[in-house]
């Protein structure tokens, strides 16, 4: 993805067909060392293609893809319904901790102090 992003940055910067050196320079400016095989793959796939046209084609493909928006709402509803049952064990744990704390307080003194 970083190679494609660097390629797009080079195109935005005015290079109609960026070279490997252009992409390496962009990646190097943020401390990323480019792998030659990946770099050659991206350049090979995008060479001679109109970036704006590719982006428009990609948008069309994404628009036809289901996004699963309905599933999120159902999941959220299920989580809300499950929350009260999850709260009951939490409340029981808090009560148990309070009881333990009371027991510890009563055992702490035992009639003498360590530094008295």
């Amino acid at each position: 993805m970083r190679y494609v992003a660097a390629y797009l940055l080079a195109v935005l910067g005015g290079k109609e067909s960026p070279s490997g050196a252009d992409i390496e320079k962009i990646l190097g400016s943020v401390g990323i060392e480019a792998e030659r095989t990946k770099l050659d793959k991206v350049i090979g796939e995008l060479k001679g293609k109109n970036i704006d046209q590719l982006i428009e084609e990609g948008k069309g493909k994404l628009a036809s893809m289901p996004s699963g928006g309905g599933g999120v709402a159902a999941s959220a509803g299920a989580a809300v319904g499950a929350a009260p049952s999850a709260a009951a064990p939490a409340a029981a744990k808090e009560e148990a901790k309070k009881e333990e704390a009371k027991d510890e307080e009563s055992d702490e003194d035992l009639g003498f102090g360590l530094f008295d």
Side-chain angles (χ1 to χ4, degrees):
M1 190 58 128
R2 64 182 71 169
Y3 299 96
V4 175
Y7 189 94
L8 291 173
L9 283 171
V11 169
L12 285 173
K15 300 273 186 178
E16 192 168 314
S17 184
S19 67
D22 296 328
I23 296 174
E24 285 178 343
K25 185 177 178 182
I26 292 170
L27 293 174
S29 72
V30 293
I32 298 172
E33 188 174 327
E35 293 179 34
R36 198 68 181 152
T37 55
K38 292 180 180 181
L39 185 61
D40 291 340
K41 174 78 172 166
V42 169
I43 292 173
E45 292 291 325
L46 297 175
K47 190 171 188 171
K49 295 183 180 176
N50 183 336
I51 296 299
D52 294 325
Q53 184 180 1
L54 289 175
I55 291 172
E56 288 302 317
E57 288 175 13
K59 284 182 185 178
K61 289 178 182 179
L62 287 174
S64 66
M65 200 166 106
S67 64
V72 174
S75 303
V80 170
S85 63
K93 288 181 183 179
E94 287 181 14
E95 289 178 12
K97 287 181 183 179
K98 287 180 183 177
E99 289 177 7
E100 288 177 30
K102 287 179 184 177
D103 291 340
E104 289 176 356
E105 288 174 4
S106 64
D107 292 340
E108 281 180 5
D109 191 27
L110 295 177
F112 62 91
L114 185 60
F115 298 108
D116 287 347

